[in-house]
Amino acid sequence: MIYLDSAATSFFRPPEVLEAVAGAMTSFGNPSRGGCGPSLLASRTVFQAREALNRLFDGDGPEQVAFTANSTESLNLAIKGLLKPGELAVSTMMEHNSVLRPLYEMEGQGAKLLLAGCDEKGRLLYEDLEEKIRRGAKLAVVTHASNVTGNRNDLRRIGKICRETGTLLIVDASQTAGIFPISMKEDNIDVVCFTGHKSLMGPQGTGGLCVRKGVEIRPLLSGGSGILTFEKEHPSAMPVRLEAGTLNTHGIAGLLAGVRYLMEEERWKNFQEKELRLAELFYRELKDCPKFIFYGDPAGGLRVPVISLNLREEDSGEVSDWLFHEYGICTRPGGHCAPLMHEFFHTERQGMVRFSFSHGNTEEEVRRAAAALREMTEQ
């Protein structure tokens, strides 16, 4: 099997992650809910994970890292917890439904929403984004990179605009956390929303958000937290402010192992270089064939290792199925939960075939995938 669907979830996880999860399942109690050894061990691991993620995102402290089940939950928390009826939110056409649907829901409750456009290659129009932000936006919610085109946005440029206007910046880092550097301080980011199961190489069911001090998000849930049992209201201090109920500590242990693995000797830099090189090789192998339609800016500078294409008018699902059943090549067809990007490229019905690369892939696998696609053009 050749796994080229890492934008959906990581398939290549180090043994340290698997060992951490298995170890946690046989040794952890419930964190913050008792003083026995297993409970304290779970509490220490959760705190160490907060510390590691705070360092990764250059945040304001480990207490500002709250855990969720995924970036979708994180984005719902941030958007619904900061935006009120009558306030303006600005976002982009590049967004995943994890951003769009909460924004549409808030728009239905009286908030205002403006979406910045893209150029012909699906790259963000920064001037359009700035113009809309300067209309008095409370929030700007922006993906770091499109999961469809692989185009990556300049967070520092966006953050500068937001800081000048007093607009809160929420970043969806689903496609970049762990492989591309993100500094909340230098990029002027107020909230980073991340998932654990992609480039951070943690288990599915893990994610979170890193919040700048002074930014107070209204919680979505209330309930048990392990502290202040006799108060009628949920605790207001971070991070328990945004965490109700028992955390996925087994998964968090695996996430911590993944983050440590990436940060050790700055492995992420080598992974980033390799993944981008593999994506570039794939594009070079196919770009001169007129039967392929590429989307986004695959030869551009700001990229993540994602290439999306179509073969003539062939349905993306049929192409993806053929690749898997004939060659064992895993890809992602369809709409990728990003409807505005597909509307922009007029691929709502056809979808696209997405190839996304990992440090676990090889050049030989990339060449075999390209050869399989060329074979399809000959039939």
Side-chain angles (χ1 to χ4, degrees):
M1 185 182 74
I2 299 175
Y3 187 83
L4 300 177
D5 194 21
S6 292
T9 194
S10 175
F11 190 75
F12 304 98
R13 292 182 173 87
E16 289 89 335
V17 172
L18 310 183
E19 293 166 4
V21 174
M25 293 187 74
T26 57
S27 62
F28 278 11
N30 201 327
S32 300
R33 289 156 175 84
C36 62
S39 176
L40 293 174
L41 178 60
S43 295
R44 282 194 293 269
T45 301
V46 170
F47 181 74
Q48 289 166 1
R50 297 192 206 276
E51 285 186 312
L53 288 158
N54 179 68
R55 287 195 300 272
L56 181 70
F57 295 122
D58 190 21
D60 283 345
E63 72 281 1
Q64 295 302 115
V65 178
F67 289 110
T68 64
N70 43 55
S71 55
T72 299
E73 183 180 346
S74 301
L75 287 159
N76 270 265
L77 258 171
I79 292 168
K80 296 176 181 178
L82 289 171
L83 192 63
K84 297 178 181 178
E87 294 178 333
L88 171 63
V90 174
S91 193
T92 80
M93 293 179 63
M94 300 171 70
E95 305 306 318
H96 190 277
N97 272 334
S98 297
V99 170
L100 294 174
R101 284 176 172 166
L103 286 173
Y104 292 149
E105 185 178 340
M106 295 305 294
E107 187 180 30
Q109 296 177 17
K112 302 173 185 177
L113 175 62
L114 295 173
L115 299 174
C118 299
D119 67 10
E120 72 282 356
K121 292 187 175 182
R123 296 172 299 199
L124 178 63
L125 294 172
Y126 293 95
E127 294 81 4
D128 187 32
L129 179 70
E130 179 174 1
E131 187 274 328
K132 288 177 167 58
I133 287 174
R134 291 190 180 279
R135 296 189 195 181
K138 170 71 176 297
L139 300 180
V141 191
V142 181
T143 186
H144 193 185
S146 168
N147 71 315
V148 176
T149 65
N151 294 338
R152 184 160 48 94
N153 291 323
D154 185 343
L155 292 183
R156 192 149 303 176
R157 181 175 179 179
I158 297 169
K160 185 174 183 293
I161 297 167
C162 289
R163 194 48 49 92
E164 288 175 355
T165 58
T167 303
L168 296 174
L169 174 58
I170 301 171
V171 172
D172 176 5
S174 300
Q175 294 298 324
T176 56
I179 294 296
F180 293 88
I182 298 173
S183 170
M184 294 186 70
K185 294 184 177 70
E186 294 183 13
D187 298 334
N188 290 316
I189 299 170
D190 295 285
V191 184
V192 172
C193 298
F194 62 90
T195 194
H197 68 97
K198 297 185 181 183
S199 291
L200 291 175
M201 296 187 293
Q204 295 179 5
T206 60
L209 61 171
C210 193
V211 184
R212 181 175 63 81
K213 282 188 176 179
V215 176
E216 294 192 355
I217 299 173
R218 297 185 302 277
L220 276 179
L221 302 175
S222 60
S225 63
I227 62 172
L228 301 178
T229 296
F230 296 98
E231 297 291 331
K232 291 184 178 180
E233 295 183 351
H234 194 75
S236 60
M238 287 287 290
V240 293
R241 176 186 182 91
L242 303 180
E243 297 172 344
T246 297
L247 295 173
N248 176 13
T249 50
H250 305 148
I252 291 169
L255 176 58
L256 171 60
V259 174
R260 283 176 168 171
Y261 182 81
L262 286 165
M263 295 177 74
E264 185 178 351
E265 298 180 355
E266 296 188 317
R267 278 193 183 97
W268 65 269
K269 289 185 178 179
N270 294 329
F271 290 170
Q272 179 196 115
E273 180 183 351
K274 180 179 181 182
E275 291 171 9
L276 291 172
R277 186 173 70 248
L278 293 175
E280 181 183 5
L281 172 62
F282 181 74
Y283 177 63
R284 285 202 316 269
E285 290 280 316
L286 297 173
K287 66 183 179 67
D288 294 327
C289 179
K291 295 182 179 180
F292 292 114
I293 304 169
F294 290 91
Y295 300 93
D297 187 18
L302 285 178
R303 299 287 303 162
V304 293
V306 169
I307 304 286
S308 291
L309 58 79
N310 274 319
L311 171 57
R312 298 187 297 264
E313 301 301 320
E314 296 288 339
D315 179 78
S316 65
E318 293 184 6
V319 173
S320 186
D321 286 348
W322 187 87
L323 286 169
F324 181 70
H325 291 294
E326 294 296 324
Y327 289 95
I329 298 171
C330 300
T331 60
R332 168 74 185 276
H336 311 97
C337 302
L340 300 184
M341 274 282 87
H342 283 274
E343 289 175 10
F344 180 80
F345 287 111
H346 307 293
T347 53
E348 303 99 305
R349 293 178 62 84
Q350 185 181 17
M352 300 178 192
V353 186
R354 185 183 70 189
F355 297 77
S356 49
F357 305 90
S358 164
H359 66 278
N361 294 124
T362 66
E363 291 187 2
E364 175 60 24
E365 288 178 330
V366 170
R367 290 192 172 94
R368 285 168 60 189
L373 283 168
R374 286 195 297 269
E375 181 179 317
M376 287 196 76
T377 68
E378 298 168 0
Q379 296 185 357

